[in-house]
Amino acid sequence: MLKDNFNLAYKNIRERMSRSILTLLGIAIGIMAIISLMGLGEGMNQAVTGELSSLSDTIIVSVGQGLDIGSIFSGGGLDETNGEYLTERDIADVKRIQGIKKVSTQLSGGGILRYNSLDVAASLTGMDVNVMHISYGIEDLESGSLLEIGDQNKCLIGYSVAHEYFDSDIAVGSRIKINGEKNVVNGIFSQYGTGGIGSTDDLVLITSRDFKKITGQSNITSATIQVYDVTNVESIADEIEQVINENHGEDDFVSATTMSSILESIQNIIGIMQMMLVAIASIALVVASIGIMNTMLTSVMERTREIGIMKAIGATNKDVMLIFIIEGMLLSIVGGIFGILLGVFGSQGITGLLTAGPMAGGGGGMSLTPIISIGSIGLAVGVSLVVGVLSSLYPAWKAARMSPIEAVRYE
Amino acid sequence: MNTDVIITKNISKTYGTGDIKVHALRHTNINIKRGDYIAIIGPSGSGKSTFMNLIGCLDKPSSGKLFIDGTDVSQLNENQLATIRREKIGFIFQKYNLIPTLNALENVSLSTSFAGVKNKDRLKRAEKLLGMVDLSKRMLHKPSEMSGGEQQRVAIARALSNDPSIILADEPTGNVDTKSGNRIMGILEDINNKGETVIIVTHDPNIAKRAKRILKIQDGVVSEENA
């Protein structure tokens, strides 16, 4: 029975080949849009998650409102603290909290750079080497390399520092003086370009030890804390805020931000974006399902006689409905399968466009690979099934209601 | 069991409502015995097709009772009527009315597919029936690839596929040449000789004469005509 229905549906679809292909194309485009946009969204999600989840045991403590997303990877933006700093006592108190594995501080303050007998004022940032490695990668540098543990009197400088502050460019290996102390330039950051909070262009980065030695200060702007157990990270962050705020007698002197909370908000944003993309893609699908309905209605009209014959020889209303629903379903499933294939390739194409186009600018360095999950393919198949059934319900119902007398009417 | 395969008790069919009622069939009482061979004649508009639609269970009488093979069908709903048609009635139409997208074998096995018969059994039966109407070699051809006579023979095989109680043929020779017409009548008479009830609706007096019994319909009134 079912096999016959499929056979009948297949033959009818073939009989009206060009019309069927056009209908099918509509569904294919709708599904393609959904598949590729979902894949893109998922790719985006995973790219971000991948970068951040390795840092899930990390808490960043900073003075003021806390971190915004842009500054996580830079560190350079953390020095706008209105002259308020964490104290050594804060750090000592934090170290006493249970479950904390390591506390690394980031220091900042002003300094004088000298190169080729020219003095320029600059802001200095001191970081523990391991924090440096969390914050930056070799891909952020245009030349040279990051500092290693044990390095002394070595610095990393920003693009502007290297190429704009002085008469002549500074190269890796050059010697500059920071507050009179000799330093070797170990690496130079690539141009950050757009400026803003995370910019590395004006950065002069040295180790925390060198910072204290050079400036004689320990102005701690932020601390990077690692915990032993990732599951405790949120409660430890709360505790840290409490301890430091108590020290300073303010309610929101400091904020402790975990990677997972940042991750969560990023994922929320991506989720909303993804939903919007899918909603837009759904419009194409709605249009396509109207197309199926239209095709099926025309088909019902054309086959009035055939429907009458089938009813005359014993097809019940249910049988007739099933015939048309299966036909609609077959159309949209085949369309859906084409859509999935198109979507898989289409999303690669969109990625290609994005990475080659204007959005690829800046120093993001995050590679976007669309991820087509089994789930989204399953969803696409499900959606096309539902669309097929829904959009052929009305035509099928119309067909089922036709009178068998049509078939035996005298001419 | 009653030997009458069709019993009509005072059935009437009226179309339309209010002032413009059309009485297509009036108070008809007819019994048709199992194994009978009947011709229904009458001019166009006489109520012939109405009568045929009623005994073919395509339509319901406005009043009266109609028994097909012992079942009162006048009160059945659409789906129950479809089941009666499927089980009790084999239709043969003037214009063959085969499904154009299906080949002969699929056409013949279609109604048994609605009955839910197993694929293998259906095809076997369809092959046998097509053999009976001498179309074994044309089984995989579509209607458009066959002559009128051949298509009508496929239609006969289809009508027989559910092993019905009544074969109802509406102008079965109306669209074919004389030679094919004779052949078709021969097949129908063979079927009748094997005990099947055959009812033929026709304009053609020569065809009607071959039947055992002739019913004449005029202005919605059915009367017996002595052959």
Side-chain angles (χ1 to χ4, degrees), chain A residues 41 44 267-279:
Chain A
M44 216 186 292
Q267 279 172 332
N268 279 342
I269 293 167
I270 290 175
I272 290 167
M273 257 171 63
Q274 235 172 326
M275 267 168 60
M276 271 177 59
L277 291 177
V278 170

Side-chain angles (χ1 to χ4, degrees), chain B residues 21 40 53 71 78 82 88-89 91 103 110 112 117 121 141 146 153 166 169 172 192 194 206-208 224 226:
Chain B
K21 269 186 187 164
I40 297 174
N53 287 346
T71 310
E78 239 183 283
K88 308 281 188 193
I89 298 173
F91 282 100
N103 65 33
L110 186 61
T112 39
V117 179
D121 301 342
H141 289 259
M146 296 185 180
R153 281 186 277 147
I166 305 159
N192 176 244
K194 285 175 189 161
N206 291 323
I207 301 274
E224 200 86 28
N226 295 318

Side-chain angles (χ1 to χ4, degrees), chain A residues 4 7 11 311 407-408 410, chain B residues 49 85 93 97 106 113 122:
Chain A
D4 283 276
N7 183 31
K11 287 193 167 160
K311 293 187 89 170
V408 290
Y410 290 96
Chain B
S49 52
R85 290 197 293 272
F93 304 99
N97 281 349
E106 290 164 336
S113 108
R122 292 190 300 113

Side-chain angles (χ1 to χ4, degrees), chain A residues 77-279:
Chain A
L78 293 175
D79 43 13
E80 279 105 47
T81 54
N82 305 323
E84 291 194 288
Y85 301 101
L86 297 172
T87 60
E88 291 290 351
R89 184 182 152 210
D90 292 333
I91 301 303
D93 287 347
V94 167
K95 278 180 177 164
R96 272 198 289 276
I97 294 171
Q98 272 213 327
I100 287 181
K101 189 168 153 191
K102 194 171 177 113
V103 178
S104 315
T105 51
Q106 180 180 322
L107 313 161
S108 56
I112 303 292
L113 303 187
R114 169 173 284 227
Y115 180 63
N116 277 355
S117 324
L118 203 67
D119 286 336
V120 173
S123 69
L124 305 178
T125 303
M127 248 185 217
D128 288 351
V129 169
N130 63 321
V131 178
M132 225 178 274
H133 282 258
I134 290 172
S135 305
Y136 305 106
I138 187 76
E139 69 274 6
D140 294 317
L141 301 180
E142 68 168 29
S143 57
S145 59
L146 296 176
L147 302 184
E148 297 303 328
I149 291 171
D151 280 350
Q152 281 184 32
N153 297 333
K154 288 185 179 177
C155 62
L156 300 176
I157 57 174
Y159 184 88
S160 300
V161 180
H163 301 293
E164 289 163 18
Y165 278 24
F166 301 97
D167 299 349
S168 53
D169 286 352
I170 303 175
V172 170
S174 301
R175 287 166 192 281
I176 59 172
K177 280 186 177 170
I178 304 174
N179 285 1
E181 291 276 343
K182 276 181 192 163
N183 269 269
V184 176
V185 175
N186 202 60
I188 297 173
F189 285 98
S190 309
Q191 189 166 22
Y192 194 84
T194 49
I197 290 166
S199 174
T200 55
D201 288 350
D202 297 300
L203 203 59
V204 177
L205 191 60
I206 50 185
T207 64
S208 298
R209 266 183 60 183
D210 282 351
F211 185 93
K212 288 175 194 164
K213 191 175 78 188
I214 290 170
T215 64
Q217 294 176 323
S218 54
N219 294 335
I220 304 167
T221 45
S222 73
T224 305
I225 292 156
Q226 281 173 295
V227 300
Y228 285 110
D229 187 353
V230 177
T231 53
N232 291 336
V233 71
E234 292 294 341
S235 62
I236 291 176
D238 288 344
E239 207 174 331
I240 290 170
E241 274 188 18
Q242 210 182 330
V243 165
I244 298 178
N245 284 338
E246 255 172 45
N247 284 348
H248 293 266
E250 282 177 46
D251 275 346
D252 49 5
F253 177 79
V254 81
S255 64
T257 314
T258 61
M259 282 301 166
S260 57
S261 67
I262 293 170
L263 196 59
E264 208 173 291
S265 58
I266 293 177
Q267 279 172 332
N268 279 342
I269 293 167
I270 290 175
I272 290 167
M273 257 171 63
Q274 235 172 326
M275 267 168 60
M276 271 177 59
L277 291 177
V278 170

